[in-house]
Amino acid sequence: MIRHFARRPMRACAAVLLASSLLACAPQKASVTSSADTATAAAPTKVDVEPPLVEPPPKDAVDPGIGKYGGTLTSALVSDPKTFNIVLAQETSSTTPLGFIFESLVEPNYLTGEMQPDLAYKWTLAPDRETYTFTLRKGLRWSDGAPLTADDVAFTFNSIIFNRKIPTDLRDVLEVDGQLPTVKELDPLHIQIKTPKPFAPFLRELGAVSILPKHALLGATKLDAQGNPEFNHMWGVSTNVRKIPASGPFAFDRYVPAQYIVFKRNPYYFRVDSKGNRLPYLNKLVLEIVKDQNTGLLKFQSGETDMLFVDAPLRGEDFAAMQKQEQAGNFTIYKAGPDFGTFFLCFNQNSGTDLQGHPYVNPVKLKWFRDVRFRQALAHAIDKQSIIRNVFQGIAIPQIAAESQTSPFYDPNVPTYDYNLTEAQNLLAKAGYKKDSRGVLRDSTGHRVAFTLYTNSENNERMQIAGMIVDDLKRLGIKVNFQPLTFNTMVEKTSTSLDWDAVLMGFTGGLEPELGANIWLSKGRLHMFNQYLPGRVKGWTAQPWELQIDKLFEEGATTFDENKRKEVYDKYQVIAAKELPYIYIVNRIQLYPVRNVFGNLAVTPIGGPVWNIWGLYRTDLK
Amino acid sequence: MLRYILKRLLQMVPKLILISMITFGISKLAPGDYLTQLENNPTISQRQIDAERHRLGLDQPVAVQYVRWAENFATGNLGMSFDYHERVSALIWLRLKATLLLGGCAMLFTWLISLPLGIYMAVKQYSWFEKIASSITFLFLGVPDFFLGILLLLAAAMANQAFHHEVVPIGGMTSVNFATEGLLAKAGDLALHLVIPVVTVSIGSVAILQRRMRGNLLDVLGEDYVRTARAKGLPERTVIYRHAVRNALNPMITLLGFDFAALLSGYAVIENIVGWPGLGQLMLDALLRQDLNLAMAGLMIGALMLLMGNLLADVLLAFSDPRIRLEA
Amino acid sequence: MATETKLPAMERPAEELPPPISSGRKVWRRFRRHKMAVFAMWVLGVLYSLMIFADFFAPYTMTSVDRTRAYQPPAAIHLRDTKGHWHLPFIYNWKETEDLQSLFTSTGPISGVAIGGWHEDKSKRYPLHLFVQGEPYKLWGLIPSDIHFIGITDPGTRFYLLGGDASGRDLFSRLFFGARVSLTVGLVALAIVIPVGTILGGIAGYFGGAVDTVLSWIIETVLAFPTFYLLLALFGATYKWSLSSTQRFFLITILLSFLGWAGLARVIRGMVLSLRSQEYVEASRAAGASHLWVIIKHLIPQTASWIVISISLSIPGYIYAESFLSLLGLGVQPPDASWGNMLQPALNVSDLLMHPWMLVPGVAIVVTTVAWNFFGDGLRDAFDSKTRL
């Protein structure tokens, strides 16, 4: 029941859902005529933003063209938002609806993942590789009519995000070596941001910061009776949502807790179509809040919603039933490629002892876990295809590299491990393991190979995968004691008490490899398989390949050329795949069912179905 | 009477304190705390987690945390929810309406069905109707509410799929265009959303209450004064409805007190199963995510309502039965 | 008060005086008059013996898996083959209609049909046998055997009478093993509740005064605990320790009984309180009998019939509580079976539309609960000379 959420990457996803595209190469469709009457009726006549963001219809879209104004898009949200304060928001149920409301300086491209203009239409990086200067569009307005200027940008960073009394991980993301960048308002249209040292991922990480309306947050930095800034309890779920000004395509209209959120069109949105009509086309956006995926599915099946969810794809187990209804229900299931979530099996390779000198991992077991041939043999013995089939009903693919397939940094050429028991047995034999007469695997010193596997019981998929891994490894003669734990217990074991053999879990990834630095740097906070805990672990050592990865991450963070960066991160993915600290299992494939009534629909792996919600229009309007 | 109530209210205080200490202690027994969930997030720094733990006071010893919480609670400050960054009282207020509506409708439904049914079944004892109805009630007594909820949702889903449109809503309390509808349409919309939750939570109580009512009435019908009334030649109708039913109803009134206890927290988990947007989902989540202030508020409301319900039951009993004197 | 009433702790039995003692034969004669109760007794008898010999009656063991048979539909038992010939009961193999391997090989739009379609492969008959040799097991962990009551000998298919579950295990077999948890949880819990409840309630009622005040206060407080939330919190706490599923099961029952004793104690206290002042008890005391003697000789027998009734009527409450917790994923964890956790997939209503046989564990819960209710009701009538159904 507890959602395992990784905060920042999801935020990235949510921001990406709204990613814009500047496909300069896309041909403009002159043949499609816009219905001028409806356009003038619904949209303000004059577009006063300079320059407006011109959006040609996306390539490969359904019914691409100039849309008609009006209509509503109804979809569902898998759980209730917890706050409308985007700086404090942590889970997709909060960040997704807010993604329709707020924009950033820059944003990732929905197709390539590269950074492109948003509120700022251009930027420069000085030769010191530390100083960025952003130029905002002229005439930007919040949905309440107030101007959006560099003052808002400076306020967002200096008063809110860099305020240490406000709990937000955005600060962590922007920090370079523990130091914050400096943000300076040069004039109402220009902003200068200086990082403490050259940091290549910085621009992408700026994309996660939504610019806040200063005029609506007056008094936010005042301290309350407990000494916390008022901001910490502003814009909670009991706020009148109409008072939250929007810079995105939609503004809040109504929120009924646990039932629905209604959005109305933002009349001052800065994006226009290729004819210069102000976007969005849709008049209203309705998100019904459902208690779980099942209810959402039933709502879609009964025709209540046009799109299954805005914050989650269709589950594999529901695909078969849904596919049968495509025609009768007048919808199409779009496939959008693998998602960012991972499932992996990880062994504790910590050679350290506690302060009394007791080893955290039994030395016999440590020898197995640190043996790369052991890990490789196990990777060969896990039958990913039947996991895909049984747990994901076929809607998944094997994961091979450490970076997600959807990421621009994904390296498809890493060593892979197909399901091959002979190969697994060969590797084990080479490493000195033998099966005895009763089929029990023993190491070279005669110890029986057996270990405990933990996973968290709240996650059904992990529970099922763990069960299958136990069966698979039985074939090698390995005894796995499978032990489900609560999520919190599992985390305590892997991060503090370190008394674990193996875990099955997952992290949510993102477009930017640097987001995984905490996992991969040998002294990182989540370097789980060999946790560095000063003051608790004595005699901790990093293996040579771990140090190699450290170097590559350092190099990647200071390489500004994207192609060269990719080469650097390719190298780390090869090492990761060879050494297998994480034996990756599968990636889910994202499927999005959408009713056949939207033009300009272009479902993408990064952005899902609503990244270009400003361009969607209903084809069934009279 | 007033003194009695006052005394009972005062007696509640130590009970509530003990309950709060135990529940607080138990909720602290669970491994980790609210922030443990953040620890597995690669983008958050340890510094941030430590600062937040300090800010929320979760780095203090349990006793200190309890005293802090209790001080606030005693002064009516339920504190902030960690998860929502919002006052707990505001969160509860947002969901209260839905929970009260469900509780109230369930109570109404239960009493309106079970009393007449119980009376009718007592009057028509040994008839075919009574035998069949009695078996059906027994069956409903045995169907767990969560299972009934699943069955009703399934039936609704089948109907919706057959008609390709939402005949019976699944989950939720109102439709999206509720706010712009007329009064009649609003009532209809609400009623439609209430069907599954109300039936799910009250069928069991209908069965119990109906059996009690029937039993009471049968007892009364066997009493001497009823026999006397009959012997006097009063019409059967008058005997039953004017004399017997009235006396049989009296002990039922005390049960209202227990219904009251269930009003706010009695249906929490069923709310989750049928998707009713009340306090249940909020509290269950809070408990599982160790959102301390919110969870404690929920637990204390539950305990308080139970105690108040007991008191109410006793007071009602005293009202309905003049033989009972409440000792102060 | 649906949720709360059914949890044992919240039960508030009417405070009645104990029924007069009846002789065993009289009780039995009265019980037999209650047809439904007798029928219920038989049903329970069958259920409990099936549970005891689960390993034998179940065609497969609890964790026996065939991954390719996830959500295989229930077996259709045939007597006639395709040519119209008659045979002893037999089944056909279920085959999946489409393979979805081809589904995601290309990057284009989705093609092909997903799994979920099944058809019977009529080319080969698989006759059903009684007392068939199958997977080995140890009855009650002691007697090794591999004889199953019913099954097929041919390894070419599997006999899933009620269909397969999400992992490809036999739902029918797991129903037997799930019964071991669901049917015994109440009995085990009562083994704790009854001694504790009777003794504490008895002490409070018998001695009265300060003892009574303190004990009553404790009882009242325990009754005011928000039971369900408390259980949730306690479960979180138990995950600190690595427990086997048996240990966890006992933990669940202990927790349930911790909350259940107060309700019983309250009633016993009331009964003892009124009995104590009756003449023969006072006479016995006056004649110099010790407290213990009075309690054992006079008071406990008086309350015994009430306890018997209360056992049979409160067991459904424990069955309910266990299945509810397991349903929410907080009780018995898969791969171990309990009716509650077997019902978990049924929470997915859209899935249920495709695999309605996942409702079966719920039906089992209903049957057991109704049977216990009828049985308990019959007992009450039998003990109570004043007939009252």
Side-chain angles (χ1 to χ4, degrees), chain A residues 91 121 147 153 175 187 193 218 290 312 332 363 394 433 463 469 490 497 560 600 622:
Chain A
E91 49 285 296
Y121 75 95
V153 182
E175 260 176 3
D187 62 52
I193 302 181
L218 290 173
V290 291
T332 308
Y433 296 85
M463 291 283 286
I469 289 178
M490 182 174 76
S497 66
F560 280 76
N600 283 342
K622 297 260 157 55

Side-chain angles (χ1 to χ4, degrees), chain A residues 314-332:
Chain A
L314 180 72
R315 290 177 304 196
E317 64 207 77
D318 300 323
F319 175 62
M322 285 289 276
Q323 204 196 22
K324 285 185 196 135
Q325 301 174 24
E326 271 188 314
Q327 288 228 312
N330 187 30
F331 64 85
T332 308

Side-chain angles (χ1 to χ4, degrees), chain A residues 185-211:
Chain A
E185 177 189 353
L186 300 177
D187 62 52
L189 289 182
H190 292 91
I191 280 282
Q192 192 188 70
I193 302 181
K194 190 169 183 304
T195 56
K197 63 179 223 182
F199 188 55
F202 188 72
L203 196 65
R204 181 160 280 121
E205 302 193 335
L206 267 188
V209 180
S210 302
I211 302 306

Side-chain angles (χ1 to χ4, degrees), chain A residues 406-424:
Chain A
T406 305
S407 162
F409 295 97
Y410 166 69
D411 178 11
N413 304 316
V414 297
T416 57
Y417 303 86
D418 52 339
Y419 179 56
N420 187 339
L421 280 180
T422 347
E423 184 60 33

